[in-house]
Amino acid sequence: MGIQKFVFFSIHNCEKHPEVPLMEIKWCTEKYLAESGLKHTIIRLCGFMQGLIGQYAVPVLEGKAVWGTDAPTRIAYMDTQDIARLTMMALRRKDVERKSLTFAGPRAWTTQEVISLCERLAGQDAKVTIVPFGVLKFTRVLTRLFEWTNNAADRLAFSEVLSSDVIFSAPMGETYSLLGVDGKETTTLEKYLQEYYTQILKKLKDLKAQSKQGDFYL
């Protein structure tokens, strides 16, 4: 096919969780690339900031329930724009060929810390529903008993890992030096969510003003 370089996005510490189909596939693909002879770079990711919008930011703002767990899992979320920027830097450098890099955000956050940040920026309290870790584990075992619920079991296995006592993060100093990037340019979660709430609250304010103006003219 004439592939000059293969860039594969994987998951941080995927080799430690073979019980999760998605992570097992990622790890098998990593091993395949290492044995293939292809010029490649593996980029392991911890979590995306964009995923927090639908999961926490919007429900908190709309007063809807958000789901959390009682586990102290920490995830170093990263803006997809930063991931794309660092990936382009990696593509240009030959010294990262046949290497595995982990991209992690500036800080690892627990679910409760993310919810608290959203509450502060939205200016209102969240309706939090806590799902005990034991309930997730029992539900996954139960759904494994039926073929028609295997897909749900696979998703619950991934959720179980994210809800266990693990940290999805990695030091970025060496990676930044290798790619010639200033780590201070990486977006923090506080800044990302602040920009989101500033924009969305402004739009809501403008819509409210337009609605009042329309009522006046009517």
Side-chain angles (χ1 to χ4, degrees), residues 99-190:
K99 287 188 177 181
S100 178
L101 306 175
T102 297
F103 290 174
R107 173 188 165 185
W109 296 73
T110 64
T111 297
Q112 188 54 53
E113 287 173 340
V114 173
I115 294 174
S116 297
L117 178 60
C118 290
E119 288 178 319
R120 178 167 60 83
L121 295 174
Q124 60 189 56
D125 295 334
K127 298 177 181 178
V128 184
T129 301
I130 299 296
V131 181
F133 177 70
V135 172
L136 281 177
K137 192 170 184 178
F138 172 76
T139 306
R140 180 174 68 87
V141 173
L142 185 64
T143 52
R144 276 289 179 214
L145 299 177
F146 308 98
E147 184 177 354
W148 55 276
T149 56
N150 275 342
N151 286 337
D154 291 344
R155 295 184 182 186
L156 285 169
F158 190 68
S159 298
E160 188 177 319
V161 171
L162 295 180
S163 301
S164 57
D165 188 9
V166 296
I167 298 177
F168 283 86
S169 183
M172 286 289 290
E174 185 178 346
T175 300
Y176 285 137
S177 298
L178 189 63
L179 300 179
V181 175
D182 185 356
K184 294 180 181 179
E185 297 176 357
T186 301
T187 304
T188 64
L189 184 58
E190 294 97 326

Side-chain angles (χ1 to χ4, degrees), residues 28-102:
C28 288
T29 305
E30 286 188 21
K31 291 188 291 184
Y32 173 79
L33 284 172
E35 298 168 358
S36 68
L38 279 173
K39 291 182 180 179
H40 69 274
T41 298
I42 295 170
I43 297 175
R44 290 182 158 195
L45 305 173
C46 298
F48 303 106
M49 290 183 183
Q50 278 71 11
L52 299 176
I53 299 300
Q55 192 172 4
Y56 299 112
V58 172
V60 169
L61 191 61
E62 294 181 344
K64 295 180 179 179
V66 294
W67 298 85
T69 68
D70 53 1
T73 308
R74 290 183 173 273
I75 301 175
Y77 300 99
M78 199 172 211
D79 188 351
T80 55
Q81 298 296 316
D82 288 324
I83 293 172
R85 178 171 58 89
L86 295 177
T87 299
M88 292 304 298
M89 297 297 294
L91 278 171
R92 298 189 183 110
R93 302 187 68 92
K94 292 185 177 181
D95 50 359
V96 298
E97 288 181 0
R98 297 184 175 86
K99 287 188 177 181
S100 178
L101 306 175
T102 297

